[in-house]
Amino acid sequence: MNPDASLITALVERWRPETSTFHLPCGEITITLEDVVTLSGLAIDGDAVVVDIPDEEWSAICLRLLGWVPVDLVGGVGVVRIVWLRVEFSHLPEDASQEVIEQFARAYALSLIGGVLFPDRSGSTVHLQYLLLIEDWERAGEFAWRAAVLSYLYREMGRSTLHITHTDTSLAGDLGGWVALLQFWAWERFPHLAPRDSETRA
């Protein structure tokens, strides 16, 4: 889905980080956890999504949990390119062991986390800290992902609001977080802003 840059920019221009609300002519409104429940299907109850700084090197973590280490892995930073994940883990071997299947599943989940749920402003990289959250699948299901997605989006909108205020420009793709969630929320709350094309609406 292509983001509606005008709609997203208009919303972020009206975002007030102090109150975590959009200030509109009709009053204040915000995205709530209930909205995220309705639109995403992620778990709301559970533990906070927090990552401890590991003692292990990022390359060792990558090798242990994914079975591969990208050539351009930035050592101390622990960031991988999403396109690397999609290329290296695009075809699961037919004779794959359980360990390899789990590595491919982690790579897929990591690309979703970095490309959809918690994208940075570039939208092209993901930090390996998220890999630690999906090391154990049962434990991963115990996290409150919805709350984390919403708070991350709030933070990114606050940062972008400051950027717009200080530079007097539009966002031009300078917003991290799940932008599609913001757009779907706007379409849900303000149906007259949604595309009229029935295929797009579906």
Side-chain angles (χ1 to χ4, degrees), residues 11-23 28-30 151 153-166:
L11 286 169
V12 173
E13 284 175 347
R14 288 156 182 80
W15 180 255
R16 297 297 174 264
E18 315 84 55
T19 58
S20 297
T21 57
F22 298 103
H23 286 226
E28 295 182 34
I29 190 171
T30 194
S151 63
L153 182 60
Y154 277 13
R155 185 183 75 175
E156 289 298 315
M157 285 192 295
R159 286 180 176 173
S160 294
T161 299
L162 293 173
H163 172 76
I164 291 171
T165 304
H166 295 326

Side-chain angles (χ1 to χ4, degrees), residues 76-153:
V77 180
V79 173
V80 295
R81 298 184 193 286
I82 293 173
V83 73
W84 175 80
L85 290 168
R86 293 183 179 154
V87 168
E88 290 298 324
F89 296 92
S90 60
H91 299 292
L92 181 67
E94 288 186 29
D95 59 344
S97 66
Q98 183 63 32
E99 180 184 17
V100 171
I101 292 170
E102 288 188 14
Q103 290 169 344
F104 270 71
R106 279 191 203 100
Y108 178 73
L110 189 61
S111 70
L112 283 179
I113 288 169
V116 178
L117 302 179
F118 303 101
D120 60 15
R121 291 177 184 202
S122 74
S124 63
T125 60
V126 60
H127 200 285
L128 290 173
Q129 65 184 357
Y130 297 114
L131 190 56
L132 296 172
L133 295 170
I134 55 176
E135 179 175 1
D136 178 353
W137 292 114
E138 285 186 30
R139 178 76 181 115
E142 296 173 0
F143 291 118
W145 292 100
R146 274 186 203 135
V149 165
L150 185 58
S151 63
Y152 187 80
L153 182 60

Side-chain angles (χ1 to χ4, degrees), residues 62-78:
C62 196
L63 184 63
R64 179 170 54 84
L65 298 177
L66 295 178
W68 295 80
V69 178
V71 176
D72 60 349
L73 176 67
V74 183
V77 180

Side-chain angles (χ1 to χ4, degrees), residues 21-68:
T21 57
F22 298 103
H23 286 226
L24 305 175
C26 59
E28 295 182 34
I29 190 171
T30 194
I31 305 173
T32 65
L33 280 173
E34 183 180 356
D35 294 319
V36 183
V37 168
T38 305
L39 297 170
S40 75
L42 295 170
I44 191 168
D45 296 326
D47 299 332
V49 178
V50 178
V51 179
D52 295 324
I53 303 297
D55 295 330
E56 221 174 337
E57 290 288 327
W58 288 118
S59 57
I61 292 169
C62 196
L63 184 63
R64 179 170 54 84
L65 298 177
L66 295 178
W68 295 80

